[in-house]
Amino acid sequence: MRILIMGGTRFVGLHFARAALAAGHDVTVLHRGKSGPDLLPDATHLIADRDADLSPLRGLRWDATVDVSAYFPRQVRQLAAALDDPGAAGHYLLVSSMAVYDTPAAPGFTEDSPLLPADGPEAEEITADSYGVLKVQCELAARRCFGPDVLLVRPTYVIGPEDYTHRFDHWVQRLARGGEVLAPGRPEDPLQVVDARDLADWMLALLTRRASGAYHPATPPPSSMGDLLEAVASAVAPPGTTLTWVADDFLRACDIPARALPLWTTDPHSRATRTADPAAALATGLNLRPVADTARDIKPFDPLPAALTPEQEAALLTAWHRR
């Protein structure tokens, strides 16, 4: 296949490009030129800012387009307008998000669960409140521009090498230091993940079969924060490492923001959307590697600026034990 990737030089897009090239496909990546040629020497590189000028796409055609960088519906519309005709994109895959859902009625919700209302104005800024609605609007724009058979991939938290957010990586690095580790909330709090490499291989297989519709690539519920931390600990923690679970109310009373403890949330909507049913994705061949294997592949990085420092963590643990 001839495949166009809108944003193929970072994380999910990079892993997809590598998978497609390894499988012998003809890959074109459109990106701003900040990275790419050295990472993907066998791909064709089109240098452009999708928000400014997509003229490099004129006159070209692909069998499939993978859009990993559409966060605003106007970006989907601008892509369609830049092509000579909608068919020039081939089979269109949009990487969306689990954030598109309204609060699910119950754990194990499927892809036909109600989405967030999206009939209002289109936000011009990505915030915690606007992100999910914008992704719904991107999905609607994709169907209008590229037809009803578009492929919508709604991942949960994506983990693995090359993750520039380092949310999962934070816990790998913290548990590798050992000692008493502050674990936020309760071990049974829901959390679903997917390794970017597994996601990429599966998306490529779906495109090869020209699959359509929406899918949840995620670990099956009940998948929890406790499961994740225990799996990471089994892979990287030194002997004697312990997890101390500190209650949400205590952390909130101490004014600890969620970003200080990555992947932790007390938001009911966010927790509810971490319980999706991935049966449809698994039935189409999604293979999920053990979280422990992913943890072993994470390279050291500079600590996240917003994360708890060792001193802050120690003080919180002391206060928790004295409460």
Side-chain angles (χ1 to χ4, degrees):
M1 287 191 295
R2 299 187 69 241
I3 303 173
L4 168 66
I5 309 174
M6 298 296 292
T9 59
R10 295 182 79 189
F11 200 27
V12 173
L14 177 60
H15 285 296
F16 180 87
R18 287 171 172 168
L21 288 167
H25 298 288
D26 183 342
V27 173
T28 298
V29 290
L30 185 142
H31 58 98
R32 292 174 294 178
K34 296 184 177 181
S35 59
D38 294 337
L39 295 172
L40 299 168
D42 296 326
T44 299
H45 293 263
L46 299 179
I47 307 304
D49 184 340
R50 72 177 300 166
D51 289 319
D53 180 18
L54 289 175
S55 59
L57 299 178
R58 296 286 184 193
L60 301 176
R61 301 183 69 86
W62 291 271
D63 300 307
T65 294
V66 176
D67 199 339
V68 300
S69 63
Y71 295 95
F72 297 94
R74 58 175 166 75
Q75 294 175 318
V76 179
R77 294 191 296 267
Q78 288 164 351
L79 171 60
L83 299 168
D84 291 332
D85 64 80
H91 195 39
Y92 180 84
L93 183 158
L94 174 68
V95 178
S96 185
S97 168
M98 209 75 80
V100 298
Y101 291 104
D102 206 343
T103 302
F109 65 93
T110 58
E111 289 82 356
D112 58 1
S113 184
L115 305 182
L116 291 167
D119 52 358
E122 296 177 2
E124 290 298 323
E125 183 180 357
I126 299 174
T127 67
D129 293 329
S130 69
Y131 177 72
V133 174
L134 283 168
K135 279 296 191 179
V136 176
Q137 292 171 334
C138 285
E139 291 188 5
L140 294 172
R143 287 194 167 110
R144 293 188 188 111
C145 293
F146 298 107
D149 292 332
V150 296
L151 181 55
L152 303 175
V153 174
R154 296 169 178 164
T156 178
Y157 288 95
V158 185
I159 62 176
E162 314 287 351
D163 179 10
Y164 53 89
T165 73
H166 294 304
R167 293 174 297 189
F168 171 77
D169 307 358
H170 164 84
W171 292 107
V172 176
Q173 197 150 282
R174 173 62 194 92
L175 283 157
R177 293 205 315 265
E180 183 183 14
V181 178
L182 189 158
R186 302 172 303 167
E188 63 268 26
D189 288 338
L191 179 64
Q192 295 174 289
V193 296
V194 60
D195 189 294
R197 295 164 293 182
D198 300 334
L199 179 63
D201 290 343
W202 170 72
M203 290 195 307
L204 181 60
L206 288 183
L207 281 177
T208 302
R209 300 198 300 269
R210 293 192 62 82
S212 61
Y215 294 91
H216 296 156
T219 44
S223 177
S224 69
M225 187 72 165
D227 294 334
L228 181 134
L229 295 185
E230 292 288 353
V232 172
S234 73
V236 303
T241 302
T242 59
L243 293 171
T244 296
W245 292 91
V246 178
D248 295 332
D249 291 345
F250 179 86
L251 294 170
R252 285 197 298 262
C254 294
D255 293 324
I256 304 302
R259 64 182 181 276
L261 293 161
L263 303 178
W264 170 58
T265 183
T266 60
D267 177 63
H269 174 264
S270 179
R271 281 188 173 172
T273 56
R274 296 178 176 198
T275 61
D277 181 1
L282 295 171
T284 57
L286 173 65
N287 292 310
L288 299 169
R289 74 189 66 200
V291 169
D293 289 355
T294 302
R296 294 185 186 97
D297 293 336
I298 301 302
K299 296 178 181 178
F301 69 101
D302 293 333
L304 296 175
L308 289 181
T309 65
E311 295 76 18
Q312 290 170 327
E313 181 186 18
L316 280 170
L317 286 168
T318 297
W320 172 250
H321 291 309
R322 288 177 177 171
R323 72 195 185 286

